[in-house]
């Protein structure tokens, strides 16, 4: 009798209770609502509900991988006992270009469906009430985070639920865009800075229909278009790795979308070598292979010896070589090489660790810090004073200063190598930019090997001289001339100090420059006192107190200098525009405008040389005007994430970078890192 009453109650209850919820909730630029596919709940079945989102026109929310920016929508459920919610069953997204970024998400009304497993023992005498706390990010040109607590109440019945006509079309939209699980064999490789996938798609091999979406954030560079080709029943996908990639998960989840049929498949690829299909034309080609990057790095290191910023280092190396020409030259050559390679390895480790942590840094990042620039000024100034014979550091400086770099023995050669890297680090030699740009996208052992090859190239001339005595015979014999030569070589160091002072002044202001000059005076005073002998207990105490005071003033001056911030430069004498992604997009959309982009930094000597030798010459300026080319300049003197992104877009992580954009919207072209007026003029005339 009781079972019959309960059965009758279950049949009648749907007529007494109707589905009800909190209704649509309006937040900034978005309306949210918790909805159900059907009008009641049947125990022991699955219930389809969903978060309905309606952004304002022009606004959008994000997919589970938001792309270059954004944040996926999240839902936290409060459910009755026994009811279990699935994760969001994400409909495949749209790619949304915003300036130079690519985001993945949804505009217009859309639904994020979730399946609720309803237990068999769900009581029939009371409705099912569910609650969801939803958080989202809704964006246009700006982004606004939003949240809402949403409710939905449904009657419980043993009768078959009926579709809710109010949301049938919305659920149908989500069904059409739901990726099907597919077990197609797939492999991926991440060598050469590229994510390359090979998928066995069988008959579905028309490359023109496909779109690729990595389901994992920060794996690929979304702004770089994926190259998709097909043949032999296989689909080959290649896309540049993200500058912030921390490795590629194994297996890698991704979604393939047939854009013609509006169907999608969810797949997994295992890490492994791609299998040759015999169709070399269809195979994705990494922009720079690891062996080629090693060769370029070695060449770039060799050329680094000839760059203007390395002149002080050349003087140090020359002195060291002459001093040890008749001694343990091989030992000194190996020690110098070890110092160079170890320093490059440490520098690479810091750079790769920062990038793995999401920092937007690249080659030369160390000179973006006024602290490091100021410290270099102190070190080179002290070395210059030592070479000039004005101060003495015990018996030798050039082996930690002279206590390190001028120290006799192999330790002196080792620290000379360390100093060579420190002073050479702001320079970018030809071939070096491409190698280092590819290296940061490689797995860390391969990336580290590229930096080591760069160090080996820098050290190679010294190493060859130390191992080939025949070459050493071309060097002059030791003699009194060495002291004069040593003093003369101090002046390149003073010039390097002047350059770094100018860099620091650009990073700070005149107050910062004055502070660091005060620090140099205090440092010189301290070094002078260090060379004096004690003359009695009282004077000894005074001398030591003065030394401590001088060091304190030097450090305090450095600390004061870095606190000043440079003011924006006056635009009156500018004949170029400051780089911005939005302005570049605007210019590229104009068929009458060609663009020349120069990514530079004040601490980049190669950049400054190119400015003086080529870009600032009257002939080049006239060529810009005559050919109607807009000159844009990006200043990377201080850290700038937008410029770092731009460099990564062209596979670089350092400056200089010169890119020309033709006025017909054609493909941009990268110019060499060492410019001449004729080369620039020819490039401008070709646009």
């Amino acid at each position: 009798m009781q079972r019959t009453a309960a059965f009758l109650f279950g049949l009648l209850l749907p007529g007494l209770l109707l589905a009800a919820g909190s209704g649509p909730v309006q937040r900034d630029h978005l309306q949210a609502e918790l909805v159900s596919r059907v009008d009641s709940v049947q125990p022991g079945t699955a219930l389809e509900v969903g978060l309905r989102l309606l952004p304002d026109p022009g606004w959008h929310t994000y997919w589970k991988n938001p792309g270059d920016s954004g944040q996926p929508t999240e839902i936290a459920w409060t459910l009755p006992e026994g009811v279990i919610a699935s994760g969001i069953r994400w409909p495949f997204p749209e790619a949304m270009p915003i300036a130079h970024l690519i985001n993945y998400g949804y505009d217009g009304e859309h639904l994020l469906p979730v399946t609720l497993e309803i237990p068999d023992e769900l009581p029939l005498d009371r409705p099912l009430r569910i609650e969801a706390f939803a958080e989202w990010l809704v964006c246009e040109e700006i982004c606004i985070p939003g949240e809402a607590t949403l409710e939905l109440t449904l009657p419980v019945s043993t009768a078959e639920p009926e579709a809710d006509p109010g949301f049938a079309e919305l659920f149908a939209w989500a069904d059409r865009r739901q990726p099907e699980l597919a077990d197609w064999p797939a492999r991926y490789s991440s060598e050469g800075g590229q994510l390359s996938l090979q998928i066995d798609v069988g008959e579905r091999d028309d490359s023109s229909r496909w779109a690729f979406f990595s389901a994992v954030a920060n794996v690929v560079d979304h702004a770089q278009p994926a190259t998709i080709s097909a043949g032999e029943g296989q689909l080959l996908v290649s896309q540049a790795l993200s500058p912030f990639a921390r490795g590629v998960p194994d297996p890698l989840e991704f979604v393939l979308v047939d854009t013609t049929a509006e169907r999608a498949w969810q797949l997994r690829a295992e890490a492994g070598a791609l299998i040759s299909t015999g169709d070399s034309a269809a195979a994705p080609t990494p922009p720079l292979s690891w062996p080629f990057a090693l060769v370029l790095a070695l060449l770039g290191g060799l050329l680094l010896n000839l760059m203007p910023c390395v002149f002080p280092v050349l003087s140090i190396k020359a002195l060291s070589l002459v001093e040890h020409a008749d001694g343990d030259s091989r030992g000194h050559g190996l020690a110098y090489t070890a110092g160079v390679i170890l320093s490059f390895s440490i520098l690479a480790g810091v750079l790769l660790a920062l990038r793995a942590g999401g920092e937007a840094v690249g080659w030369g990042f160390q000179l973006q810090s006024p602290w490091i620039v100021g410290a270099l000024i102190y070190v080179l100034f002290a070395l210059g004073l030592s070479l000039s014979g004005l101060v003495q550091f015990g018996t030798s400086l050039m082996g930690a200063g002279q206590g390190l770099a001028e120290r006799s023995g192999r330790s002196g050669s080792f620290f000379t190598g360390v100093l060579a890297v420190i002073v050479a680090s702001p320079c970018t030699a030809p071939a070096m930019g491409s190698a280092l740009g590819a290296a940061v996208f490689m797995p860390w052992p391969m990336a580290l090997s590229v930096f080591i090859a760069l160090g080996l190239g820098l050290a190679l001339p010294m190493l060859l001289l130390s191992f080939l005595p025949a070459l050493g015979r071309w060097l002059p014999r030791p003699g009194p001339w060495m002291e004069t030569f040593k003093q003369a070589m101090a002046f390149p160091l003073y010039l390097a100090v002047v350059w770094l002072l100018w860099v620091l002044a650009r990073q700070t202001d005149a107050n910062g420059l004055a502070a660091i000059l005060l620090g140099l005076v205090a440092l010189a005073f301290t070094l002078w006192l260090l060379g004096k002998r004690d003359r009695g207990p009282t004077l000894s105490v005074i001398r030591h107190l003065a030394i401590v005071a001088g060091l304190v003033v030097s450090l305090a001056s450095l600390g004061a200098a870095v606190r000043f911030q440079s003011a924006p430069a006056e635009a009156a004498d500018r004949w170029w525009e400051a780089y911005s992604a939005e302005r570049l997009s605007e210019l590229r959309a104009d068929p009458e405008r060609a663009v020349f982009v120069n990514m530079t930094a004040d601490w980049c000597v190669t950049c400054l040389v190119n400015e003086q030798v080529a870009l600032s010459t009257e002939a080049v300026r006239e060529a810009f005007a005559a050919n109607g080319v807009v000159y844009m300049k990006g200043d990377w003197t201080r850290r700038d994430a937008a410029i770092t992104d731009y460099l990564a877009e062209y596979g670089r992580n350092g400056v200089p970078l010169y890119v020309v954009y033709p006025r017909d919207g054609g493909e941009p072209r990268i110019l060499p890192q060492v410019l001449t007026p004729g080369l620039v003029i020819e490039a401008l005339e070709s646009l």
Side-chain angles (χ1 to χ4, degrees), residues 528-568:
W528 174 71
L529 284 178
L530 283 171
K532 297 297 181 183
R533 294 181 178 178
D534 291 334
R535 300 180 184 275
T538 302
L539 290 178
S540 175
V541 171
I542 293 175
R543 187 176 76 93
H544 284 88
L545 289 176
I547 289 172
V548 172
L551 290 174
V552 169
V553 171
S554 298
L555 295 176
S557 298
L558 176 57
V562 301
R563 293 181 181 177
F564 294 102
Q565 296 289 325
S566 61

Side-chain angles (χ1 to χ4, degrees), residues 315 387-388 482-494:
S315 71
L387 289 178
S388 296
M482 290 180 61
E483 185 59 27
T484 302
F485 179 76
K486 176 182 175 183
Q487 294 177 7
M489 288 299 99
F491 291 96
L493 294 178
Y494 293 139

Side-chain angles (χ1 to χ4, degrees), residues 247-288:
V248 182
D250 186 13
L252 173 66
E253 294 188 2
F254 61 98
V255 171
L256 282 178
V257 178
D258 183 335
T259 57
T260 303
E262 290 198 344
R263 291 185 62 189
W265 289 266
Q266 182 174 330
L267 299 108
R268 289 185 171 188
E270 306 288 339
L274 306 191
I275 300 172
S276 174
T277 63
D279 183 5
S280 58
T285 304
L288 202 61

